[in-house]
Each structure stands twice: as C-alpha cells, then as structure tokens.
C-alpha cells in the first residue's frame, strides 16, 4: 500500500513554526512504515496543477495531508483537501469546508455564536471606516488566519476604552499577524486543550491538558505566545508546562470541555482529528478560543501528549487517521 505524504514546501527562510513540519513528517512517516505503508513525500506550494499531476501519476492508495500553509499563507490550506476531493483520492484529516470554516478564526466564531457555543466577544476591522469600541476592557489582538501564535507577544494584550477606533489599531498590526487581525476579549483564567480522535465507534475526547502559568510574574499576560511555542531559550517556553492529571474537583469542568469540543466536531464537520483550545474564566465558565482542524502531530505537541496519556502511540494515532480516511469513500474520479 502506498501513501503520499503532502506537506508544506519550505523556503530557505522558513520560521521555526513552519520548520516544525519536518518533525511531523518524521513521526508520521515512521508510523506509516510501521503500518506497512510505503510512503513518498510530496511538497505542496501554489502550483496546484503540478501537485494534481503528481498525485495522478503516483496513484497512491491514500494521501496523508500535513499541509499547514501554502506559500506561507494559512488562508489557502483548505485548497488542498478541496483539490483531493476533486481528484477523488482518500485523504486523512478534515475536508476543505471544515478547514476553511475553522482556519478563519472570525468565521469560526460567527458559527460558534450562531449555534450557541461560547466564544469570547470580538471586534473586527471595518474596511470602509472605523469601528468604535462599545465595551471597554482588555483585549488580545490576534491573527485571523494564522496559527502557531504568530505575532503574539505581551504587546498583543491591549486595554481598549469605549469609543476607541479598533479598525485603526487592527490595520496597524495586521502586517505582523499574517495580514489580517481581530481583537478578542481577553479571558483571564485557566487554559485547556481538548484533543479529539475519530475511531471506528465514533469520535472521542483524548485526556484534556492544561497549560500552567504558575511562575509568570504578576502583571505579565498569561498567554501562550510565539516565544512560548517556538523559542526554547525564552522564559515563556520554559514557564508554560502542560499538565494532564487533574484533581477530582475539576471533573465536571473537564466533562464540559469535552462536550463543547464534540459540539465543535459536529458543527464544523471535522474528521479524523482535531484540537479545541479553551480559556476558563475566573467564574469557571469555558470559552472556545479556536478549533484546530488537522492539528500538529509533532511528538512534542499537545495532540501527541494527550494521545500518550490515553495509552495511544503515534502509530495508533496514525492507524486511526488512516482508518477514518478509508471510511470516507472518495467520489469516483471522472
Ligand atoms: N481571548 C483570549 N484570552 C486570553 N488568552 C488568549 C485569548 N485568545 C488567545 N489567547 C492566548 O493566545 C494563544 C494563541 O491563541 P489561539 O486562539 O489558540 O491561536 P493559535 O494557537 O492559532 O495561534 C492561546 O493559547 C492563549 O494563550
Ligand atoms: Mg491555539
């Protein structure tokens, strides 16, 4: 059986978050080999015609989709599963529609709100004018399309007063945030990730994990910014450990996080695997920050940690992703 492993084509100046795809390729490639697959790597860039021709020539039994950006743009990643659908090839992970709806964080928030799922309030830029703040308070200026905490540092936390023009602020910061930004109400409190994995009997939540900020000095924003994720020499990297074991009194909250994450799975039509990021406010109310369709599979990322806590090896995870892909019979190629 042959697998074609699609991944970002890395340029010579790729950032650490982009280079991380190499660790994913290695982990997933080893798991595929263990499952008896012969796998070939296929870098993907904006030349989708070439990619289509190469897929058609290789005639793989399965495509493993690890693409996280096209030519450095998160906003284009849904094109890859859309292309695979058009070619009628079975592939791992989420369909194009689910990727588009979740990668655009504001689009995802609109869907969450309209289906009664909790997500913090936000302001968007108005391309034709200004946006006056109605509710003063603390906000986080985030990228609409990019993940990996791109552009997130302490300065991304801002205090807005009623009447302030958010459009001007967002336009000013867009360049460092992948081209488009929004301001989301800052949720002070605990941070959790809930990973979901599809199995033959349905999708279930892997053990939840919490990011701890215990050693952050008072006044420093408790966020998992770019340095916390990608700079091993930074204070934030060392000071944001993950925990996967919880006292009994957290049980109700953790069940609620799983219920909400499964609600996201249904709402967005996710497939294979996903990870939902939450903050829990000081009153104990959970808020959905974002839905990660096709989350990172590096050995040191949250998904692998949650799977390991559930007793699943990387090979077990890949085996489930492959099985989920095969359950979705692709449209016959024309
Ligand atoms: N509304 C918010 N309130 C507090 N912290 C937030 C908020 N949104 C994001 N963060 C912090 O920023 C990090 C990255 O944000 P997230 O929405 O998960 O985007 P991504 O991981 O795709 O970059 C989160 O892990 C969290 O620490
Ligand atoms: Mg996140």
């Amino acid at each position: 059986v042959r697998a074609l492993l699609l991944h970002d084509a890395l340029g010579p100046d790729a950032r650490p978050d982009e280079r991380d795809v190499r660790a994913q390729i290695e982990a997933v490639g080893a798991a595929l080999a263990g499952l008896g697959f012969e796998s070939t790597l296929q870098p993907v860039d904006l030349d989708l015609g070439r990619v289509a021709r190469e897929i058609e020539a290789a005639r793989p039994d399965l495509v493993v989709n690890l693409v996280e950006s096209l030519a450095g743009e998160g906003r284009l990643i849904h094109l890859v599963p859309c292309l695979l659908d058009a070619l009628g090839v079975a592939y791992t992970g989420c369909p194009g529609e689910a990727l588009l709806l979740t990668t655009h964080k504001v689009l995802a928030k609109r869907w969450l709100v309209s289906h009664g799922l909790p997500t913090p309030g936000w302001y968007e830029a108005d391309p034709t004018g200004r946006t006056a703040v109605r509710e003063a308070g603390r906000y986080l200026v985030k990228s609409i399309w990019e993940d990996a905490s791109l552009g997130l540092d302490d300065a991304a936390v801002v205090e807005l007063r009623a009447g302030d023009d958010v459009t001007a602020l967002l336009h000013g910061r867009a360049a460092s945030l992948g081209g488009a930004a929004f301001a989301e109400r800052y949720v002070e409190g605990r941070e959790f990730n809930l990973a979901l994995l599809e199995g033959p009997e349905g999708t279930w939540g892997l053990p939840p994990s919490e990011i701890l900020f215990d050693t952050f000095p008072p006044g420093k924003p408790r966020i998992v910014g770019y340095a916390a994720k990608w700079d091993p020499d930074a204070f934030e990297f060392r000071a944001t450990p993950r925990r996967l074991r919880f006292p009994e009194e957290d049980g109700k909250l953790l069940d609620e996080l799983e219920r909400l994450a499964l609600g996201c799975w249904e709402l967005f039509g996710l497939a294979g695997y996903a990870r939902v990021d939450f903050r829990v406010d000081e009153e104990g109310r959970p808020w959905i920050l974002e839905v990660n369709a096709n989350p990172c599979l590096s050995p040191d990322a949250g998904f692998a940690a949650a799977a390991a806590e559930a007793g699943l090896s990387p090979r077990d995870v890949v085996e489930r992703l492959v099985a989920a892909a095969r359950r979705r019979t692709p449209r016959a190629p024309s």
Side-chain angles (χ1 to χ4, degrees):
V1 265
R2 282 162 309 142
L4 193 64
L5 221 149
L6 302 189
H7 63 88
D8 302 29
L10 293 182
D13 45 2
R15 298 184 306 259
D17 62 289
E18 296 172 318
R19 291 200 302 268
D20 183 63
V21 73
R22 293 198 187 114
Q24 293 193 67
I25 291 171
E26 203 170 303
V28 174
L32 286 169
L35 294 167
F37 279 92
E38 191 184 297
S39 50
T40 311
L41 296 182
Q42 176 69 62
V44 177
D45 58 19
L46 276 181
D47 188 352
L48 292 178
R50 173 190 61 83
V51 175
R53 284 189 296 279
E54 283 174 359
I55 292 171
E56 287 188 314
R59 303 176 64 83
D61 298 294
L62 178 83
V63 166
V64 176
N65 179 19
L66 298 181
V67 177
E68 296 187 332
S69 71
L70 272 185
E73 298 272 1
R75 73 175 89 206
L76 298 175
I77 56 170
H78 60 280
L79 296 176
V80 172
C82 290
L83 173 68
L84 296 170
D85 281 334
L87 295 174
V89 193
Y91 58 92
T92 59
C94 291
E97 316 84 84
L99 268 184
L100 175 59
L101 279 174
T102 53
T103 307
H104 191 300
K105 289 197 174 80
V106 171
L107 201 50
K109 289 168 73 67
R110 289 192 207 131
W111 270 58
L112 290 167
V113 168
S114 62
H115 290 80
L117 290 166
T119 188
W122 74 98
Y123 291 104
E124 296 167 50
D126 176 349
T128 63
R130 68 192 303 283
T131 313
V133 170
R134 292 177 306 278
E135 219 175 296
R138 182 169 289 190
Y139 288 80
L140 185 62
V141 181
K142 311 199 326 190
S143 172
I144 289 184
W145 290 103
E146 298 300 330
D147 62 353
S149 292
L150 186 76
L152 276 195
D153 57 18
D154 290 354
V157 179
V158 295
E159 299 289 340
L160 297 179
R161 292 161 307 173
D164 278 356
D165 178 13
V166 200
T167 291
L169 170 73
L170 295 177
H171 282 167
R173 299 208 179 188
S176 59
L177 292 166
F182 69 111
E184 185 174 65
R185 187 173 57 74
Y186 183 82
V187 180
E188 197 69 75
R190 298 170 73 182
E191 174 156 342
F192 292 89
N193 310 125
L194 207 305
L196 300 168
L197 182 60
E198 186 178 332
E201 273 99 48
T203 299
W204 50 293
L206 296 179
S209 67
E210 179 175 12
I211 307 289
L212 301 174
F213 300 97
D214 297 347
T215 57
F216 271 46
K220 181 173 172 61
R222 297 175 162 228
I223 58 172
V224 187
Y226 194 83
K229 284 182 184 166
W230 305 109
D231 179 2
D233 298 326
F235 163 79
E236 292 90 340
F237 188 93
R238 284 171 274 115
T240 46
R242 181 186 294 133
R243 82 152 159 181
L244 291 122
R245 304 276 164 88
F246 297 92
E248 206 157 312
E249 63 258 31
D250 282 335
K252 231 178 105 199
L253 170 65
L254 301 177
D255 287 348
E256 174 68 356
L257 298 182
E258 184 181 17
R259 193 186 67 78
L260 290 170
L262 289 169
C264 293
W265 184 276
E266 288 302 317
L267 175 61
F268 292 109
L270 304 172
Y273 60 139
R275 204 194 68 234
V276 182
D277 294 344
F278 293 92
R279 295 281 280 208
V280 176
D281 69 20
E282 285 161 334
E283 275 91 59
R285 274 177 311 205
W287 297 93
I288 297 165
L289 296 183
E290 62 150 352
V291 175
N292 297 285
N294 296 0
C296 174
L297 289 174
S298 296
D300 57 357
F303 195 94
E309 183 66 19
L312 298 173
S313 66
R315 185 165 143 183
D316 296 330
V317 169
V318 172
E319 188 171 22
R320 280 167 173 74
L321 294 182
V322 166
R326 286 181 161 158
R327 275 194 294 277
R328 269 176 207 84
T329 318
R331 186 174 67 73
S334 44

